[in-house]
Amino acid sequence: MAAITAVYTIDRAAMMLGISEDLLHRIAGTMDFEDGVLWVYDSTEDGQRGFTEFGIESVREILDDPSTLEYFLHDQS
C-alpha cells in the first residue's frame, strides 16, 4: 500500500463526490480501513471519519453500482 499523503473529512469528501453528508455517513459506516476510510481526531470530543484518495475511489465504485447505491438510498437506519 502506498503512503497516505492526504485525508479528506467527510464534509469535504461529500462535496467532492456531489452527495449528501448523510448518504456518505451511511456508506462509510460499512467501510473498513482497507477500503480507505479511517478515523481522524480533531478538535471535537469524538473526531470523525476521513477518506484517503483510495477511499474516495471506493465510494465512487459504490455510487456507480445501481443496486448497491439503491440499498444506501433506502437504508434509513
Side-chain angles (χ1 to χ4, degrees):
M1 175 185 258
I4 297 170
T5 60
V7 175
Y8 300 94
T9 58
I10 202 154
D11 57 335
R12 175 69 175 164
M15 185 180 72
M16 291 168 61
L17 293 162
I19 61 174
S20 71
E21 287 182 43
D22 181 59
L23 176 57
L24 188 52
H25 275 288
R26 284 183 274 164
I27 292 170
T30 67
M31 297 172 72
D32 295 316
F33 175 73
E34 295 82 14
D35 301 318
V37 66
L38 46 91
W39 198 254
V40 177
Y41 294 96
D42 58 14
S43 62
T44 67
E45 184 77 17
D46 299 325
Q48 62 178 301
R49 286 185 179 97
F51 297 85
T52 63
E53 292 284 345
F54 181 73
I56 299 291
E57 289 306 313
S58 295
V59 173
R60 281 193 177 113
E61 288 179 14
I62 291 170
L63 296 173
D64 288 343
D65 179 19
S67 62
T68 304
L69 179 58
E70 186 74 18
Y71 169 80
F72 287 109
L73 289 174
H74 289 92
D75 175 35
Q76 298 298 318
S77 56

